[in-house]
Amino acid sequence: MKKCERRDSVVFHEIDHSFFFRHCVRNYLKRWKKMIHAIVLFCLFCFPLIGAVTDTMAVMEGDFFILHTGLAGLQSVDKVEWRFGSSRTLIASIANGSIEYGGDKRFRDRLQLERRTGDLTITNVSNEHSGVYKRSITIGLKEPTEEIHVTVYPHLPVPVITKYSPQCSSSSSVSKSVLLCSVLNVSHVTLSWYKATSLLSNISVSDLSISLSLPLEVEYQDKDTYSCLLNNPVSNQTTHLDINTLCHTSDHWSQRTEAMIRLVVTAVMGVAAVAAVVVLVYDIRSRRVELERKTKFIEQ
């Protein structure tokens, strides 16, 4: 603004103020438009060269997944490359319609590269296929890249519900039982107890492959259905349990056990009574025989 004022100071009185102001503003706007245009061009051409995590994917062990290029066709594309892991190992590429696969043994007989779009399908996956996949597409001098994080989850075991306490206990006319839901050798999972559809408690584990157990105390009078759920981002396993059935079964066996104990005790007491009678009769007979001997001895 000062330059404009110095340059036009001689003819300042001959130029209309409004025309002078519009002239200066127009010059500054042109300069800003050029700067904005340059910044936009820089972002369009430079940012695609920077690899960024733009997608994540979760898949179950033994299944397949597809890595997409997002292209309808490869007519204007010079080359598509797919790389894997921190070492950026080349696993598949296509250039001018020619497909090549890398020599990584982890992907042997598992790769299918679509010739028309450059999409890559990986079949029969396992835990060793978890990691970062990098896609690069060469279009002239520009090479946009994208990284896709893939996590392969193993199949889940079925949770096992057992009674932690020996039987349904009774206290103040309220019967209770402690249940224990358990799974072995799991990772990246959550183990949860549900009462009908309401979450009661849960526990999670991330990287380590460990065994999980989750206890739960329930009341005998509760008529709701309980379930133990094991889940990860791609699958789940559920075990259902009716606590009434559990406690009735426990009470049934308790009653049978108690009846058997009473029967055994009665039998033992009966045997003891018979043995006591036998001993008593034997003792009486022994004394009678001894008395007869003494009497005969005195008479002689």
Side-chain angles (χ1 to χ4, degrees):
M1 186 71 72
K2 293 182 179 180
K3 291 183 179 180
C4 291
E5 290 177 355
R6 287 196 299 267
R7 186 181 59 185
D8 300 330
S9 59
V10 178
V11 292
F12 180 76
H13 296 290
E14 300 177 4
I15 300 177
D16 186 28
H17 275 281
S18 61
F19 172 78
F20 172 73
F21 179 76
R22 290 196 301 271
H23 175 72
C24 291
V25 170
R26 191 179 298 113
N27 288 339
Y28 279 103
L29 288 177
K30 287 181 179 180
R31 294 177 185 177
W32 277 107
K33 286 182 179 179
K34 290 181 179 180
M35 292 179 62
I36 293 174
H37 184 66
I39 292 173
V40 171
L41 291 177
F42 176 80
C43 294
L44 290 176
F45 283 94
C46 295
F47 282 152
L49 296 177
I50 302 174
V53 178
T54 59
D55 197 7
T56 59
M57 189 180 299
V59 62
M60 183 180 292
E61 192 174 32
D63 287 349
F64 71 93
F65 61 90
I66 302 176
L67 302 174
H68 297 279
T69 61
L71 301 174
L74 301 180
Q75 294 83 359
S76 60
V77 176
D78 294 330
K79 189 175 184 180
V80 175
E81 288 186 346
W82 290 101
R83 297 179 179 271
F84 175 71
S86 57
S87 60
R88 298 289 187 255
T89 302
L90 179 65
I91 58 175
S93 65
I94 180 171
N96 298 322
S98 177
I99 297 176
E100 293 184 5
Y101 295 106
D104 196 318
K105 295 181 179 180
R106 293 172 293 184
F107 296 93
R108 180 176 296 175
D109 300 327
R110 288 184 168 92
L111 301 178
Q112 297 176 5
L113 190 61
E114 172 62 39
R115 190 182 303 275
R116 185 176 62 86
T117 61
D119 294 346
L120 180 64
T121 302
I122 304 178
T123 61
N124 192 24
V125 296
S126 63
N127 183 60
E128 64 182 359
H129 300 116
S130 295
V132 180
Y133 292 81
K134 183 179 180 180
R135 181 206 68 197
S136 60
I137 305 175
T138 303
I139 307 176
L141 299 177
K142 189 171 64 170
E143 187 177 346
T145 62
E146 180 182 16
E147 290 184 354
I148 304 172
H149 279 256
V150 176
T151 303
V152 180
Y153 292 91
H155 291 275
L156 295 177
V158 178
V160 177
I161 299 177
T162 56
K163 289 180 294 181
Y164 183 73
S165 57
Q167 61 184 12
C168 296
S169 60
S170 179
S171 175
S172 301
S173 71
V174 177
S175 298
K176 295 183 179 181
S177 179
V178 178
L179 307 179
L180 195 65
C181 182
S182 305
V183 288
L184 302 177
N185 301 324
V186 291
S187 60
H188 299 92
V189 298
T190 298
L191 186 65
S192 309
W193 269 114
Y194 282 86
K195 179 180 180 181
T197 58
S198 301
L199 176 64
L200 300 178
S201 61
N202 59 23
I203 184 173
S204 300
V205 62
S206 55
D207 297 331
L208 299 177
S209 180
I210 63 174
S211 299
L212 289 179
S213 294
L214 190 61
L216 178 69
E217 184 179 71
V218 294
E219 294 185 359
Y220 171 78
Q221 288 83 356
D222 199 335
K223 297 182 180 180
D224 286 314
T225 300
Y226 290 83
S227 60
C228 183
L229 172 68
L230 180 69
N231 71 289
N232 60 26
V234 295
S235 63
N236 63 77
Q237 291 282 7
T238 304
T239 299
H240 298 280
L241 179 69
D242 187 344
I243 186 58
N244 292 324
T245 303
L246 176 68
C247 283
H248 281 312
T249 303
S250 177
D251 290 345
H252 173 68
W253 283 104
S254 298
Q255 292 172 2
R256 290 189 59 182
T257 302
E258 184 178 355
M260 291 180 64
I261 292 175
R262 288 180 179 178
L263 180 61
V264 171
V265 170
T266 302
V268 170
M269 292 178 65
V271 172
V274 172
V277 171
V278 171
V279 171
L280 179 61
V281 171
Y282 177 78
D283 184 62
I284 293 173
R285 286 182 178 179
S286 298
R287 291 185 179 184
R288 181 180 297 176
V289 171
E290 183 66 23
L291 181 61
E292 289 177 354
R293 286 179 181 179
K294 289 182 179 182
T295 303
K296 288 180 180 182
F297 179 76
I298 293 173
E299 290 179 351
Q300 292 178 355

